[in-house]
Amino acid sequence: MKSTGTLETRLRRRSLHEEVTEALREMIVSGELPLGQKVPEKELCEAYGVSRTPLREALKVLATDGLVTLEPNRGAWVSEITVNDLDEVFPVMGALEALAGELACRNVTEEEVRQIRALHDRMMEHYRKGDLPEYFAINQQIHEAILTAARNPTLTVQYRSLATRVRQARYVANMTSERWRRAAEEHEVIMRCLETRDEAGLAEILKSHLENKLVTVRDWLLARKLAE
């Protein structure tokens, strides 16, 4: 009984640690915890009703993802995004996106295509309403659905190890109306290529779609640096 109780305690702790990790990840990615800000550990512990232990375990995971920087005796800070970071991560992510598109065209089911089409139509409704947060949320679901349809676990692991940093860069950068319009048009092409199983076309548009995001984020970072 004693060993079972210990296991149950470990499992509860693990679940709590995972919940805190995901909550903090979303706060950082969405910009609720701004770039360069010290992570308010005490306030977060109070807000989530947890001790410092699961919070610090969560921060270690986020540090591995590159979202926070741990400094001895100073705590944790939300990591800054640099142009060098983007130039390193985005080309790799673009190659993974392209591969996911090719494999998805080969392996996606008709039901999955219908589900992705439904997501796309909902996302475009939010675009027409000017609802950027909901547009982003469904956009993420679409890219995840294409990744799932690729049926390649190794690709999934590598993709997700980089995806959080890309999502953070996308959220924090200013999305101009012109760039948003182009992004929506690109998603129309993505949908058509998936529905027609155009492997080369989907690979190319997914890669260029990400490259265009890189331009947006790089421009924002450079403008931010000049304003400092």
Side-chain angles (χ1 to χ4, degrees), residues 32-157:
E32 188 175 346
L33 286 176
L35 299 174
Q37 175 179 298
K38 190 175 190 300
V39 177
E41 294 185 34
K42 182 179 179 182
E43 290 86 343
L44 289 170
C45 287
E46 292 173 353
Y48 291 110
V50 298
S51 68
R52 287 289 180 92
T53 300
L55 180 67
R56 287 178 174 170
E57 289 174 350
L59 291 172
K60 289 178 183 177
V61 173
L62 297 176
T64 301
D65 291 343
L67 292 176
V68 301
T69 302
L70 303 178
E71 299 186 11
N73 304 317
R74 295 193 66 224
W77 302 74
V78 179
S79 299
E80 292 280 4
I81 298 174
T82 68
V83 172
N84 287 339
D85 291 334
L86 300 181
D87 288 341
E88 179 180 339
V89 171
F90 270 72
V92 178
M93 195 68 175
L96 295 177
E97 286 266 18
L99 179 57
E102 290 180 6
L103 294 177
C105 284
R106 298 175 199 172
N107 299 313
V108 71
T109 66
E110 288 295 335
E111 178 57 28
E112 285 174 320
V113 172
R114 283 192 291 272
Q115 291 172 358
I116 296 171
R117 163 55 74 177
L119 285 171
H120 173 82
D121 291 344
R122 282 173 50 208
M123 183 184 73
M124 295 306 292
E125 287 178 13
H126 289 298
Y127 166 70
R128 287 187 287 271
K129 293 176 183 176
D131 188 343
L132 188 57
E134 284 301 317
Y135 174 92
F136 272 154
I138 299 175
N139 181 294
Q140 179 66 22
Q141 292 177 50
I142 290 171
H143 285 279
E144 281 285 335
I146 292 172
L147 180 65
T148 298
R151 305 282 191 275
N152 189 304
T154 300
L155 173 62
T156 297
V157 170

